[in-house]
Amino acid sequence: MTPIKTMARIETSMGNLTIELDMEKAPITTANFLDYVNSGFYENTIFHRVIPGFMIQGGGLTADMENKATRDPIKNEADNGLANKRGTIAMARTQIVDSATCQFFINVVDNDFLNHQAPTPSAFGYAVFGRVLEGMETVDAIAGVATGSRNGHRDVPVEPVMIERITILE
């Protein structure tokens, strides 16, 4: 049986983070994230969207701004009772409710407007599936890097912020 709380280390070019994943409240999202971790998918991806006072997003693009091939999208678990508070990790998605694949973001501040409000496309929210236990200083440092536009994306760090690897902690 999988433990209810699983820990992972995100090693970045700016320092490491230890996150706690919530398998109990976000089982689909956590299992999806762990599948990507265990396959080595996140190695040498980047934080490609960095907005100070909001969040840092990564896990799907290479340093050349190329999208990596993903698995099928998962069910959105934003109605799980977990809130987009400072230090939480959530799944990025498109305007389509059940469109999350591999990309995740870490909230730099409380982003209550991203929480589940109603079972409608515009108010469904973004699924939180864990939180940062150690390394918020690294998250804050990443949130403070210089950004610009690149390959049609805005808020891209001028110097790539690499996700070197993510590993599960025993």
Side-chain angles (χ1 to χ4, degrees), residues 25 28-29 74-84 90-91 93-100 105 111-128:
K25 291 190 176 172
I28 295 167
T29 309
I74 59 169
K75 180 180 181 338
N76 188 329
E77 296 178 299
D79 57 353
N80 64 13
L82 298 174
N84 282 278
M91 290 306 291
R93 63 174 178 83
T94 67
Q95 299 289 50
I96 299 167
V97 171
D98 295 327
S99 61
F105 63 92
N111 287 312
D112 294 334
F113 71 99
L114 297 179
N115 295 337
H116 178 74
Q117 311 288 332
T120 62
S122 63
F124 203 88
Y126 292 76
V128 172

PDB file of all heavy atoms in Angstrom, residues 25 28-29 74-84 90-91 93-100 105 111-128:
ATOM      1  N   LYS A  25      -5.869  13.123  -0.493  1.00  0.00           N
ATOM      2  CA  LYS A  25      -6.812  14.105  -1.033  1.00  0.00           C
ATOM      3  C   LYS A  25      -6.692  14.292  -2.540  1.00  0.00           C
ATOM      4  O   LYS A  25      -7.619  14.793  -3.173  1.00  0.00           O
ATOM      5  CB  LYS A  25      -6.637  15.447  -0.325  1.00  0.00           C
ATOM      6  CG  LYS A  25      -7.104  15.390   1.119  1.00  0.00           C
ATOM      7  CD  LYS A  25      -7.162  16.751   1.754  1.00  0.00           C
ATOM      8  CE  LYS A  25      -7.738  16.657   3.160  1.00  0.00           C
ATOM      9  NZ  LYS A  25      -7.623  17.928   3.859  1.00  0.00           N
ATOM     10  N   ILE A  28      -5.387  10.821  -7.821  1.00  0.00           N
ATOM     11  CA  ILE A  28      -5.162  10.756  -9.272  1.00  0.00           C
ATOM     12  C   ILE A  28      -3.989  11.656  -9.653  1.00  0.00           C
ATOM     13  O   ILE A  28      -3.084  11.256 -10.391  1.00  0.00           O
ATOM     14  CB  ILE A  28      -6.435  11.168 -10.042  1.00  0.00           C
ATOM     15  CG1 ILE A  28      -7.561  10.163  -9.773  1.00  0.00           C
ATOM     16  CG2 ILE A  28      -6.162  11.309 -11.536  1.00  0.00           C
ATOM     17  CD1 ILE A  28      -8.935  10.655 -10.224  1.00  0.00           C
ATOM     18  N   THR A  29      -3.995  12.862  -9.125  1.00  0.00           N
ATOM     19  CA  THR A  29      -2.952  13.838  -9.441  1.00  0.00           C
ATOM     20  C   THR A  29      -1.601  13.375  -8.923  1.00  0.00           C
ATOM     21  O   THR A  29      -0.595  13.454  -9.638  1.00  0.00           O
ATOM     22  CB  THR A  29      -3.323  15.206  -8.834  1.00  0.00           C
ATOM     23  OG1 THR A  29      -4.654  15.539  -9.235  1.00  0.00           O
ATOM     24  CG2 THR A  29      -2.374  16.286  -9.283  1.00  0.00           C
ATOM     25  N   ILE A  74      -5.437  14.148 -17.126  1.00  0.00           N
ATOM     26  CA  ILE A  74      -6.071  13.503 -15.968  1.00  0.00           C
ATOM     27  C   ILE A  74      -7.292  14.290 -15.502  1.00  0.00           C
ATOM     28  O   ILE A  74      -7.474  15.450 -15.863  1.00  0.00           O
ATOM     29  CB  ILE A  74      -5.075  13.343 -14.798  1.00  0.00           C
ATOM     30  CG1 ILE A  74      -4.525  14.712 -14.360  1.00  0.00           C
ATOM     31  CG2 ILE A  74      -3.956  12.388 -15.173  1.00  0.00           C
ATOM     32  CD1 ILE A  74      -3.748  14.702 -13.063  1.00  0.00           C
ATOM     33  N   LYS A  75      -8.088  13.645 -14.668  1.00  0.00           N
ATOM     34  CA  LYS A  75      -9.248  14.287 -14.047  1.00  0.00           C
ATOM     35  C   LYS A  75      -8.764  15.377 -13.081  1.00  0.00           C
ATOM     36  O   LYS A  75      -7.837  15.168 -12.320  1.00  0.00           O
ATOM     37  CB  LYS A  75     -10.072  13.241 -13.290  1.00  0.00           C
ATOM     38  CG  LYS A  75     -11.303  13.823 -12.616  1.00  0.00           C
ATOM     39  CD  LYS A  75     -12.086  12.747 -11.876  1.00  0.00           C
ATOM     40  CE  LYS A  75     -13.347  13.248 -11.206  1.00  0.00           C
ATOM     41  NZ  LYS A  75     -13.450  14.653 -10.906  1.00  0.00           N
ATOM     42  N   ASN A  76      -9.406  16.506 -13.119  1.00  0.00           N
ATOM     43  CA  ASN A  76      -9.070  17.628 -12.240  1.00  0.00           C
ATOM     44  C   ASN A  76      -9.646  17.370 -10.839  1.00  0.00           C
ATOM     45  O   ASN A  76     -10.856  17.215 -10.680  1.00  0.00           O
ATOM     46  CB  ASN A  76      -9.639  18.921 -12.829  1.00  0.00           C
ATOM     47  CG  ASN A  76      -9.192  20.154 -12.089  1.00  0.00           C
ATOM     48  OD1 ASN A  76      -8.960  20.136 -10.897  1.00  0.00           O
ATOM     49  ND2 ASN A  76      -9.089  21.251 -12.822  1.00  0.00           N
ATOM     50  N   GLU A  77      -8.774  17.350  -9.835  1.00  0.00           N
ATOM     51  CA  GLU A  77      -9.184  17.122  -8.452  1.00  0.00           C
ATOM     52  C   GLU A  77      -9.188  18.414  -7.627  1.00  0.00           C
ATOM     53  O   GLU A  77      -8.973  18.383  -6.427  1.00  0.00           O
ATOM     54  CB  GLU A  77      -8.254  16.101  -7.785  1.00  0.00           C
ATOM     55  CG  GLU A  77      -8.312  14.726  -8.407  1.00  0.00           C
ATOM     56  CD  GLU A  77      -7.346  13.740  -7.771  1.00  0.00           C
ATOM     57  OE1 GLU A  77      -6.119  13.996  -7.816  1.00  0.00           O
ATOM     58  OE2 GLU A  77      -7.813  12.731  -7.231  1.00  0.00           O
ATOM     59  N   ALA A  78      -9.461  19.541  -8.267  1.00  0.00           N
ATOM     60  CA  ALA A  78      -9.445  20.825  -7.558  1.00  0.00           C
ATOM     61  C   ALA A  78     -10.500  20.912  -6.460  1.00  0.00           C
ATOM     62  O   ALA A  78     -10.397  21.755  -5.569  1.00  0.00           O
ATOM     63  CB  ALA A  78      -9.633  21.986  -8.537  1.00  0.00           C
ATOM     64  N   ASP A  79     -11.489  20.025  -6.499  1.00  0.00           N
ATOM     65  CA  ASP A  79     -12.546  20.034  -5.478  1.00  0.00           C
ATOM     66  C   ASP A  79     -12.194  19.155  -4.266  1.00  0.00           C
ATOM     67  O   ASP A  79     -13.066  18.722  -3.533  1.00  0.00           O
ATOM     68  CB  ASP A  79     -13.872  19.587  -6.089  1.00  0.00           C
ATOM     69  CG  ASP A  79     -13.804  18.212  -6.733  1.00  0.00           C
ATOM     70  OD1 ASP A  79     -12.693  17.633  -6.846  1.00  0.00           O
ATOM     71  OD2 ASP A  79     -14.862  17.709  -7.146  1.00  0.00           O
ATOM     72  N   ASN A  80     -10.891  18.951  -4.030  1.00  0.00           N
ATOM     73  CA  ASN A  80     -10.432  18.056  -2.960  1.00  0.00           C
ATOM     74  C   ASN A  80     -10.273  18.726  -1.592  1.00  0.00           C
ATOM     75  O   ASN A  80      -9.863  18.085  -0.628  1.00  0.00           O
ATOM     76  CB  ASN A  80      -9.122  17.375  -3.362  1.00  0.00           C
ATOM     77  CG  ASN A  80      -7.964  18.359  -3.546  1.00  0.00           C
ATOM     78  OD1 ASN A  80      -8.039  19.519  -3.150  1.00  0.00           O
ATOM     79  ND2 ASN A  80      -6.892  17.881  -4.160  1.00  0.00           N
ATOM     80  N   GLY A  81     -10.575  20.009  -1.494  1.00  0.00           N
ATOM     81  CA  GLY A  81     -10.465  20.706  -0.216  1.00  0.00           C
ATOM     82  C   GLY A  81      -9.115  21.351   0.031  1.00  0.00           C
ATOM     83  O   GLY A  81      -8.948  22.104   0.995  1.00  0.00           O
ATOM     84  N   LEU A  82      -8.118  21.087  -0.814  1.00  0.00           N
ATOM     85  CA  LEU A  82      -6.804  21.717  -0.663  1.00  0.00           C
ATOM     86  C   LEU A  82      -6.823  23.061  -1.391  1.00  0.00           C
ATOM     87  O   LEU A  82      -7.393  23.177  -2.470  1.00  0.00           O
ATOM     88  CB  LEU A  82      -5.701  20.822  -1.234  1.00  0.00           C
ATOM     89  CG  LEU A  82      -5.541  19.456  -0.554  1.00  0.00           C
ATOM     90  CD1 LEU A  82      -4.517  18.608  -1.306  1.00  0.00           C
ATOM     91  CD2 LEU A  82      -5.140  19.626   0.902  1.00  0.00           C
ATOM     92  N   ALA A  83      -6.209  24.070  -0.765  1.00  0.00           N
ATOM     93  CA  ALA A  83      -6.255  25.424  -1.313  1.00  0.00           C
ATOM     94  C   ALA A  83      -4.907  25.837  -1.896  1.00  0.00           C
ATOM     95  O   ALA A  83      -3.855  25.373  -1.466  1.00  0.00           O
ATOM     96  CB  ALA A  83      -6.666  26.406  -0.216  1.00  0.00           C
ATOM     97  N   ASN A  84      -4.961  26.727  -2.883  1.00  0.00           N
ATOM     98  CA  ASN A  84      -3.759  27.283  -3.516  1.00  0.00           C
ATOM     99  C   ASN A  84      -3.163  28.362  -2.615  1.00  0.00           C
ATOM    100  O   ASN A  84      -3.307  29.564  -2.861  1.00  0.00           O
ATOM    101  CB  ASN A  84      -4.098  27.837  -4.900  1.00  0.00           C
ATOM    102  CG  ASN A  84      -4.232  26.746  -5.930  1.00  0.00           C
ATOM    103  OD1 ASN A  84      -3.245  26.267  -6.470  1.00  0.00           O
ATOM    104  ND2 ASN A  84      -5.468  26.327  -6.177  1.00  0.00           N
ATOM    105  N   ALA A  90       0.530  22.649  -7.403  1.00  0.00           N
ATOM    106  CA  ALA A  90      -0.729  22.339  -8.088  1.00  0.00           C
ATOM    107  C   ALA A  90      -0.445  22.040  -9.552  1.00  0.00           C
ATOM    108  O   ALA A  90       0.627  22.368 -10.073  1.00  0.00           O
ATOM    109  CB  ALA A  90      -1.697  23.515  -7.965  1.00  0.00           C
ATOM    110  N   MET A  91      -1.427  21.433 -10.209  1.00  0.00           N
ATOM    111  CA  MET A  91      -1.293  21.103 -11.622  1.00  0.00           C
ATOM    112  C   MET A  91      -1.707  22.280 -12.509  1.00  0.00           C
ATOM    113  O   MET A  91      -2.750  22.895 -12.286  1.00  0.00           O
ATOM    114  CB  MET A  91      -2.166  19.902 -11.981  1.00  0.00           C
ATOM    115  CG  MET A  91      -1.678  18.588 -11.389  1.00  0.00           C
ATOM    116  SD  MET A  91       0.046  18.170 -11.754  1.00  0.00           S
ATOM    117  CE  MET A  91      -0.051  17.825 -13.517  1.00  0.00           C
ATOM    118  N   ARG A  93      -2.948  23.645 -16.192  1.00  0.00           N
ATOM    119  CA  ARG A  93      -3.868  23.109 -17.200  1.00  0.00           C
ATOM    120  C   ARG A  93      -4.256  24.224 -18.154  1.00  0.00           C
ATOM    121  O   ARG A  93      -3.937  25.386 -17.935  1.00  0.00           O
ATOM    122  CB  ARG A  93      -5.109  22.508 -16.535  1.00  0.00           C
ATOM    123  CG  ARG A  93      -5.948  23.535 -15.758  1.00  0.00           C
ATOM    124  CD  ARG A  93      -7.226  22.894 -15.246  1.00  0.00           C
ATOM    125  NE  ARG A  93      -8.055  23.778 -14.459  1.00  0.00           N
ATOM    126  CZ  ARG A  93      -8.932  24.663 -14.946  1.00  0.00           C
ATOM    127  NH1 ARG A  93      -9.075  24.824 -16.245  1.00  0.00           N
ATOM    128  NH2 ARG A  93      -9.667  25.397 -14.140  1.00  0.00           N
ATOM    129  N   THR A  94      -4.992  23.849 -19.187  1.00  0.00           N
ATOM    130  CA  THR A  94      -5.537  24.838 -20.119  1.00  0.00           C
ATOM    131  C   THR A  94      -6.905  25.283 -19.589  1.00  0.00           C
ATOM    132  O   THR A  94      -7.278  24.952 -18.462  1.00  0.00           O
ATOM    133  CB  THR A  94      -5.703  24.224 -21.526  1.00  0.00           C
ATOM    134  OG1 THR A  94      -6.720  23.217 -21.465  1.00  0.00           O
ATOM    135  CG2 THR A  94      -4.403  23.613 -22.037  1.00  0.00           C
ATOM    136  N   GLN A  95      -7.678  25.954 -20.431  1.00  0.00           N
ATOM    137  CA  GLN A  95      -9.033  26.354 -20.039  1.00  0.00           C
ATOM    138  C   GLN A  95      -9.953  25.150 -19.887  1.00  0.00           C
ATOM    139  O   GLN A  95     -11.008  25.240 -19.289  1.00  0.00           O
ATOM    140  CB  GLN A  95      -9.623  27.316 -21.073  1.00  0.00           C
ATOM    141  CG  GLN A  95      -8.832  28.600 -21.233  1.00  0.00           C
ATOM    142  CD  GLN A  95      -8.955  29.513 -20.030  1.00  0.00           C
ATOM    143  OE1 GLN A  95      -8.781  29.111 -18.887  1.00  0.00           O
ATOM    144  NE2 GLN A  95      -9.252  30.764 -20.294  1.00  0.00           N
ATOM    145  N   ILE A  96      -9.547  24.015 -20.431  1.00  0.00           N
ATOM    146  CA  ILE A  96     -10.335  22.784 -20.309  1.00  0.00           C
ATOM    147  C   ILE A  96     -10.083  22.202 -18.919  1.00  0.00           C
ATOM    148  O   ILE A  96      -8.933  22.001 -18.522  1.00  0.00           O
ATOM    149  CB  ILE A  96      -9.954  21.775 -21.412  1.00  0.00           C
ATOM    150  CG1 ILE A  96     -10.234  22.388 -22.790  1.00  0.00           C
ATOM    151  CG2 ILE A  96     -10.687  20.453 -21.219  1.00  0.00           C
ATOM    152  CD1 ILE A  96      -9.612  21.625 -23.941  1.00  0.00           C
ATOM    153  N   VAL A  97     -11.154  21.950 -18.168  1.00  0.00           N
ATOM    154  CA  VAL A  97     -11.042  21.514 -16.768  1.00  0.00           C
ATOM    155  C   VAL A  97     -10.134  20.304 -16.595  1.00  0.00           C
ATOM    156  O   VAL A  97      -9.238  20.301 -15.755  1.00  0.00           O
ATOM    157  CB  VAL A  97     -12.446  21.237 -16.167  1.00  0.00           C
ATOM    158  CG1 VAL A  97     -12.336  20.578 -14.798  1.00  0.00           C
ATOM    159  CG2 VAL A  97     -13.248  22.532 -16.066  1.00  0.00           C
ATOM    160  N   ASP A  98     -10.349  19.253 -17.369  1.00  0.00           N
ATOM    161  CA  ASP A  98      -9.585  18.015 -17.215  1.00  0.00           C
ATOM    162  C   ASP A  98      -8.465  17.918 -18.244  1.00  0.00           C
ATOM    163  O   ASP A  98      -8.385  16.964 -19.018  1.00  0.00           O
ATOM    164  CB  ASP A  98     -10.523  16.798 -17.342  1.00  0.00           C
ATOM    165  CG  ASP A  98     -11.552  16.730 -16.230  1.00  0.00           C
ATOM    166  OD1 ASP A  98     -11.241  17.136 -15.096  1.00  0.00           O
ATOM    167  OD2 ASP A  98     -12.669  16.268 -16.492  1.00  0.00           O
ATOM    168  N   SER A  99      -7.568  18.907 -18.253  1.00  0.00           N
ATOM    169  CA  SER A  99      -6.512  18.948 -19.268  1.00  0.00           C
ATOM    170  C   SER A  99      -5.096  18.856 -18.704  1.00  0.00           C
ATOM    171  O   SER A  99      -4.132  18.892 -19.465  1.00  0.00           O
ATOM    172  CB  SER A  99      -6.638  20.233 -20.094  1.00  0.00           C
ATOM    173  OG  SER A  99      -6.489  21.371 -19.259  1.00  0.00           O
ATOM    174  N   ALA A 100      -4.936  18.718 -17.390  1.00  0.00           N
ATOM    175  CA  ALA A 100      -3.595  18.662 -16.796  1.00  0.00           C
ATOM    176  C   ALA A 100      -2.858  17.403 -17.234  1.00  0.00           C
ATOM    177  O   ALA A 100      -3.437  16.316 -17.308  1.00  0.00           O
ATOM    178  CB  ALA A 100      -3.683  18.723 -15.280  1.00  0.00           C
ATOM    179  N   PHE A 105       2.762  23.926 -10.910  1.00  0.00           N
ATOM    180  CA  PHE A 105       3.218  25.230 -10.447  1.00  0.00           C
ATOM    181  C   PHE A 105       3.262  25.245  -8.932  1.00  0.00           C
ATOM    182  O   PHE A 105       2.573  24.469  -8.264  1.00  0.00           O
ATOM    183  CB  PHE A 105       2.376  26.382 -11.009  1.00  0.00           C
ATOM    184  CG  PHE A 105       0.923  26.378 -10.608  1.00  0.00           C
ATOM    185  CD1 PHE A 105       0.479  27.067  -9.483  1.00  0.00           C
ATOM    186  CD2 PHE A 105      -0.020  25.710 -11.374  1.00  0.00           C
ATOM    187  CE1 PHE A 105      -0.869  27.083  -9.126  1.00  0.00           C
ATOM    188  CE2 PHE A 105      -1.369  25.717 -11.038  1.00  0.00           C
ATOM    189  CZ  PHE A 105      -1.788  26.408  -9.903  1.00  0.00           C
ATOM    190  N   ASN A 111      -3.134  32.170  -3.526  1.00  0.00           N
ATOM    191  CA  ASN A 111      -3.862  32.449  -4.775  1.00  0.00           C
ATOM    192  C   ASN A 111      -5.260  31.856  -4.681  1.00  0.00           C
ATOM    193  O   ASN A 111      -5.614  30.918  -5.397  1.00  0.00           O
ATOM    194  CB  ASN A 111      -3.092  31.867  -5.976  1.00  0.00           C
ATOM    195  CG  ASN A 111      -1.842  32.656  -6.299  1.00  0.00           C
ATOM    196  OD1 ASN A 111      -1.889  33.882  -6.378  1.00  0.00           O
ATOM    197  ND2 ASN A 111      -0.730  31.968  -6.473  1.00  0.00           N
ATOM    198  N   ASP A 112      -6.066  32.427  -3.785  1.00  0.00           N
ATOM    199  CA  ASP A 112      -7.403  31.890  -3.533  1.00  0.00           C
ATOM    200  C   ASP A 112      -8.275  31.852  -4.785  1.00  0.00           C
ATOM    201  O   ASP A 112      -9.151  30.992  -4.901  1.00  0.00           O
ATOM    202  CB  ASP A 112      -8.106  32.691  -2.429  1.00  0.00           C
ATOM    203  CG  ASP A 112      -7.416  32.534  -1.078  1.00  0.00           C
ATOM    204  OD1 ASP A 112      -6.753  31.498  -0.862  1.00  0.00           O
ATOM    205  OD2 ASP A 112      -7.534  33.447  -0.246  1.00  0.00           O
ATOM    206  N   PHE A 113      -8.037  32.750  -5.731  1.00  0.00           N
ATOM    207  CA  PHE A 113      -8.852  32.778  -6.948  1.00  0.00           C
ATOM    208  C   PHE A 113      -8.632  31.527  -7.812  1.00  0.00           C
ATOM    209  O   PHE A 113      -9.414  31.253  -8.707  1.00  0.00           O
ATOM    210  CB  PHE A 113      -8.607  34.056  -7.759  1.00  0.00           C
ATOM    211  CG  PHE A 113      -7.263  34.111  -8.425  1.00  0.00           C
ATOM    212  CD1 PHE A 113      -7.127  33.782  -9.772  1.00  0.00           C
ATOM    213  CD2 PHE A 113      -6.131  34.499  -7.719  1.00  0.00           C
ATOM    214  CE1 PHE A 113      -5.889  33.836 -10.389  1.00  0.00           C
ATOM    215  CE2 PHE A 113      -4.885  34.551  -8.332  1.00  0.00           C
ATOM    216  CZ  PHE A 113      -4.762  34.217  -9.675  1.00  0.00           C
ATOM    217  N   LEU A 114      -7.584  30.742  -7.528  1.00  0.00           N
ATOM    218  CA  LEU A 114      -7.325  29.501  -8.267  1.00  0.00           C
ATOM    219  C   LEU A 114      -8.015  28.293  -7.628  1.00  0.00           C
ATOM    220  O   LEU A 114      -7.966  27.193  -8.170  1.00  0.00           O
ATOM    221  CB  LEU A 114      -5.818  29.230  -8.325  1.00  0.00           C
ATOM    222  CG  LEU A 114      -4.972  30.256  -9.074  1.00  0.00           C
ATOM    223  CD1 LEU A 114      -3.502  29.864  -9.010  1.00  0.00           C
ATOM    224  CD2 LEU A 114      -5.440  30.421 -10.512  1.00  0.00           C
ATOM    225  N   ASN A 115      -8.650  28.504  -6.471  1.00  0.00           N
ATOM    226  CA  ASN A 115      -9.318  27.406  -5.780  1.00  0.00           C
ATOM    227  C   ASN A 115     -10.623  27.029  -6.456  1.00  0.00           C
ATOM    228  O   ASN A 115     -11.229  27.830  -7.166  1.00  0.00           O
ATOM    229  CB  ASN A 115      -9.596  27.782  -4.316  1.00  0.00           C
ATOM    230  CG  ASN A 115      -8.324  27.975  -3.527  1.00  0.00           C
ATOM    231  OD1 ASN A 115      -7.273  27.448  -3.876  1.00  0.00           O
ATOM    232  ND2 ASN A 115      -8.419  28.741  -2.455  1.00  0.00           N
ATOM    233  N   HIS A 116     -11.073  25.816  -6.185  1.00  0.00           N
ATOM    234  CA  HIS A 116     -12.355  25.330  -6.691  1.00  0.00           C
ATOM    235  C   HIS A 116     -13.472  26.193  -6.102  1.00  0.00           C
ATOM    236  O   HIS A 116     -13.577  26.340  -4.883  1.00  0.00           O
ATOM    237  CB  HIS A 116     -12.548  23.869  -6.294  1.00  0.00           C
ATOM    238  CG  HIS A 116     -13.857  23.302  -6.723  1.00  0.00           C
ATOM    239  ND1 HIS A 116     -14.130  22.975  -8.030  1.00  0.00           N
ATOM    240  CD2 HIS A 116     -14.983  23.022  -6.030  1.00  0.00           C
ATOM    241  CE1 HIS A 116     -15.357  22.506  -8.116  1.00  0.00           C
ATOM    242  NE2 HIS A 116     -15.904  22.526  -6.914  1.00  0.00           N
ATOM    243  N   GLN A 117     -14.302  26.770  -6.981  1.00  0.00           N
ATOM    244  CA  GLN A 117     -15.428  27.603  -6.551  1.00  0.00           C
ATOM    245  C   GLN A 117     -16.772  26.960  -6.872  1.00  0.00           C
ATOM    246  O   GLN A 117     -17.725  27.088  -6.128  1.00  0.00           O
ATOM    247  CB  GLN A 117     -15.372  28.977  -7.223  1.00  0.00           C
ATOM    248  CG  GLN A 117     -14.035  29.688  -7.147  1.00  0.00           C
ATOM    249  CD  GLN A 117     -13.696  30.219  -5.781  1.00  0.00           C
ATOM    250  OE1 GLN A 117     -14.588  30.537  -5.004  1.00  0.00           O
ATOM    251  NE2 GLN A 117     -12.414  30.301  -5.477  1.00  0.00           N
ATOM    252  N   ALA A 118     -16.808  26.292  -8.040  1.00  0.00           N
ATOM    253  CA  ALA A 118     -18.064  25.699  -8.527  1.00  0.00           C
ATOM    254  C   ALA A 118     -17.721  24.663  -9.599  1.00  0.00           C
ATOM    255  O   ALA A 118     -16.658  24.734 -10.208  1.00  0.00           O
ATOM    256  CB  ALA A 118     -18.966  26.787  -9.114  1.00  0.00           C
ATOM    257  N   PRO A 119     -18.641  23.736  -9.862  1.00  0.00           N
ATOM    258  CA  PRO A 119     -18.384  22.697 -10.875  1.00  0.00           C
ATOM    259  C   PRO A 119     -18.637  23.175 -12.303  1.00  0.00           C
ATOM    260  O   PRO A 119     -19.256  22.474 -13.102  1.00  0.00           O
ATOM    261  CB  PRO A 119     -19.345  21.577 -10.462  1.00  0.00           C
ATOM    262  CG  PRO A 119     -20.486  22.290  -9.839  1.00  0.00           C
ATOM    263  CD  PRO A 119     -19.888  23.482  -9.134  1.00  0.00           C
ATOM    264  N   THR A 120     -18.162  24.356 -12.610  1.00  0.00           N
ATOM    265  CA  THR A 120     -18.285  24.916 -13.957  1.00  0.00           C
ATOM    266  C   THR A 120     -16.880  25.125 -14.524  1.00  0.00           C
ATOM    267  O   THR A 120     -15.931  25.287 -13.742  1.00  0.00           O
ATOM    268  CB  THR A 120     -19.020  26.274 -13.924  1.00  0.00           C
ATOM    269  OG1 THR A 120     -18.237  27.193 -13.150  1.00  0.00           O
ATOM    270  CG2 THR A 120     -20.411  26.144 -13.313  1.00  0.00           C
ATOM    271  N   PRO A 121     -16.725  25.147 -15.845  1.00  0.00           N
ATOM    272  CA  PRO A 121     -15.388  25.318 -16.415  1.00  0.00           C
ATOM    273  C   PRO A 121     -14.639  26.554 -15.907  1.00  0.00           C
ATOM    274  O   PRO A 121     -13.450  26.488 -15.627  1.00  0.00           O
ATOM    275  CB  PRO A 121     -15.657  25.404 -17.920  1.00  0.00           C
ATOM    276  CG  PRO A 121     -16.894  24.591 -18.106  1.00  0.00           C
ATOM    277  CD  PRO A 121     -17.733  24.872 -16.876  1.00  0.00           C
ATOM    278  N   SER A 122     -15.325  27.670 -15.758  1.00  0.00           N
ATOM    279  CA  SER A 122     -14.651  28.906 -15.356  1.00  0.00           C
ATOM    280  C   SER A 122     -14.348  28.985 -13.864  1.00  0.00           C
ATOM    281  O   SER A 122     -13.536  29.804 -13.448  1.00  0.00           O
ATOM    282  CB  SER A 122     -15.481  30.118 -15.775  1.00  0.00           C
ATOM    283  OG  SER A 122     -16.723  30.104 -15.092  1.00  0.00           O
ATOM    284  N   ALA A 123     -14.977  28.139 -13.057  1.00  0.00           N
ATOM    285  CA  ALA A 123     -14.797  28.230 -11.605  1.00  0.00           C
ATOM    286  C   ALA A 123     -14.288  26.936 -10.974  1.00  0.00           C
ATOM    287  O   ALA A 123     -14.271  26.805  -9.761  1.00  0.00           O
ATOM    288  CB  ALA A 123     -16.121  28.637 -10.952  1.00  0.00           C
ATOM    289  N   PHE A 124     -13.849  25.979 -11.820  1.00  0.00           N
ATOM    290  CA  PHE A 124     -13.461  24.680 -11.268  1.00  0.00           C
ATOM    291  C   PHE A 124     -12.176  24.745 -10.455  1.00  0.00           C
ATOM    292  O   PHE A 124     -12.044  24.081  -9.440  1.00  0.00           O
ATOM    293  CB  PHE A 124     -13.334  23.609 -12.363  1.00  0.00           C
ATOM    294  CG  PHE A 124     -13.488  22.230 -11.796  1.00  0.00           C
ATOM    295  CD1 PHE A 124     -14.733  21.656 -11.679  1.00  0.00           C
ATOM    296  CD2 PHE A 124     -12.388  21.520 -11.338  1.00  0.00           C
ATOM    297  CE1 PHE A 124     -14.898  20.401 -11.118  1.00  0.00           C
ATOM    298  CE2 PHE A 124     -12.536  20.262 -10.777  1.00  0.00           C
ATOM    299  CZ  PHE A 124     -13.794  19.703 -10.666  1.00  0.00           C
ATOM    300  N   GLY A 125     -11.217  25.548 -10.899  1.00  0.00           N
ATOM    301  CA  GLY A 125      -9.981  25.709 -10.142  1.00  0.00           C
ATOM    302  C   GLY A 125      -8.863  24.787 -10.590  1.00  0.00           C
ATOM    303  O   GLY A 125      -8.974  24.063 -11.577  1.00  0.00           O
ATOM    304  N   TYR A 126      -7.777  24.849  -9.820  1.00  0.00           N
ATOM    305  CA  TYR A 126      -6.536  24.130 -10.116  1.00  0.00           C
ATOM    306  C   TYR A 126      -6.229  23.198  -8.961  1.00  0.00           C
ATOM    307  O   TYR A 126      -6.240  23.612  -7.799  1.00  0.00           O
ATOM    308  CB  TYR A 126      -5.395  25.122 -10.339  1.00  0.00           C
ATOM    309  CG  TYR A 126      -5.606  25.924 -11.604  1.00  0.00           C
ATOM    310  CD1 TYR A 126      -6.534  26.970 -11.640  1.00  0.00           C
ATOM    311  CD2 TYR A 126      -4.926  25.616 -12.766  1.00  0.00           C
ATOM    312  CE1 TYR A 126      -6.760  27.685 -12.807  1.00  0.00           C
ATOM    313  CE2 TYR A 126      -5.142  26.322 -13.936  1.00  0.00           C
ATOM    314  CZ  TYR A 126      -6.058  27.364 -13.956  1.00  0.00           C
ATOM    315  OH  TYR A 126      -6.276  28.061 -15.101  1.00  0.00           O
ATOM    316  N   ALA A 127      -5.931  21.937  -9.269  1.00  0.00           N
ATOM    317  CA  ALA A 127      -5.774  20.892  -8.259  1.00  0.00           C
ATOM    318  C   ALA A 127      -4.452  20.978  -7.512  1.00  0.00           C
ATOM    319  O   ALA A 127      -3.383  20.728  -8.071  1.00  0.00           O
ATOM    320  CB  ALA A 127      -5.905  19.517  -8.909  1.00  0.00           C
ATOM    321  N   VAL A 128      -4.543  21.298  -6.223  1.00  0.00           N
ATOM    322  CA  VAL A 128      -3.390  21.238  -5.328  1.00  0.00           C
ATOM    323  C   VAL A 128      -3.180  19.773  -4.954  1.00  0.00           C
ATOM    324  O   VAL A 128      -4.135  19.061  -4.657  1.00  0.00           O
ATOM    325  CB  VAL A 128      -3.624  22.097  -4.059  1.00  0.00           C
ATOM    326  CG1 VAL A 128      -2.515  21.895  -3.038  1.00  0.00           C
ATOM    327  CG2 VAL A 128      -3.765  23.569  -4.435  1.00  0.00           C
TER     328      VAL A 128
END
